[in-house]
């Protein structure tokens, strides 16, 4: 059940607020005329303060708790070995951590989980394939 849940949770619940935060960051830091900059800054700050910050905290606190409960079985969400659910979850988790949407120090289990995924043999093989196909170094988000 955990496997199926996380296969859908990554895209169905978690990725949406991350995408909205990325859009807000692009609006706030984008090239706009200087007289419009305060307006875009006000709007993005308001959306973040009223919605996104709490939404992201809720999701990442939930994942911290889930990782704590999964530690008895192994370092991953569903098992002692890497599953497709972990790979699926790695996309929003790595995006949130690497783009500083969430602070690593507030979510130490998520940070360790991301490192565990990136250090796994399966993940490294997948990265090698991406590098071979694209011909350039792979940068996770």
């Amino acid at each position: 059940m955990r496997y199926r849940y996380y296969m859908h949770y990554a895209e169905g619940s978690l990725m949406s607020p991350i995408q909205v935060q990325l859009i807000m960051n692009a609006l706030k830091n984008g090239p706009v005329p200087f007289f419009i900059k305060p307006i875009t800054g006000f709007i993005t700050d308001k959306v973040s303060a009223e919605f996104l910050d709490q939404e992201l905290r809720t999701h990442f606190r939930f994942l911290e708790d889930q990782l704590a409960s999964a530690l008895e079985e192994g370092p991953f969400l569903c098992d002692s070995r890497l599953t497709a659910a972990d790979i699926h979850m790695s996309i929003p988790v790595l995006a949130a951590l690497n783009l500083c949407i969430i602070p690593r120090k507030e979510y130490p289990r998520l940070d360790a989980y991301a490192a565990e995924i990136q250090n796994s043999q399966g993940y490294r093989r997948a990265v090698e394939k991406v590098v071979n196909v694209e011909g350039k170094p792979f940068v996770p988000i």
Side-chain angles (χ1 to χ4, degrees), residues 14 56-64 96 102 107 110:
L14 183 57
L56 291 167
R57 279 192 186 94
T58 299
H59 282 290
F60 290 109
R61 272 192 234 122
F62 168 73
L63 287 172
E64 279 282 305
I102 61 168
Y107 303 97
L110 274 174

Side-chain angles (χ1 to χ4, degrees), residues 18-74:
I18 291 173
Q19 288 174 323
V20 174
Q21 183 64 58
L22 292 173
I23 292 168
M24 292 298 112
N25 290 350
L27 283 172
K28 186 174 185 171
N29 301 321
V32 294
F34 74 96
F35 55 88
I36 295 179
K37 193 87 164 159
I39 296 169
T40 59
F42 173 77
I43 291 170
T44 57
D45 289 345
K46 193 73 167 165
V47 169
S48 290
E50 297 293 325
F51 170 69
L52 286 174
D53 293 345
Q54 185 58 40
E55 184 75 11
L56 291 167
R57 279 192 186 94
T58 299
H59 282 290
F60 290 109
R61 272 192 234 122
F62 168 73
L63 287 172
E64 279 282 305
D65 293 343
Q66 291 296 298
L67 285 166
S69 69
L71 281 178
E72 297 168 3
E73 296 176 25

Side-chain angles (χ1 to χ4, degrees), residues 3-14:
Y3 175 84
R4 183 174 291 163
Y5 179 81
Y6 288 112
M7 285 297 288
H8 296 287
Y9 179 80
E11 286 183 7
S13 298
L14 183 57

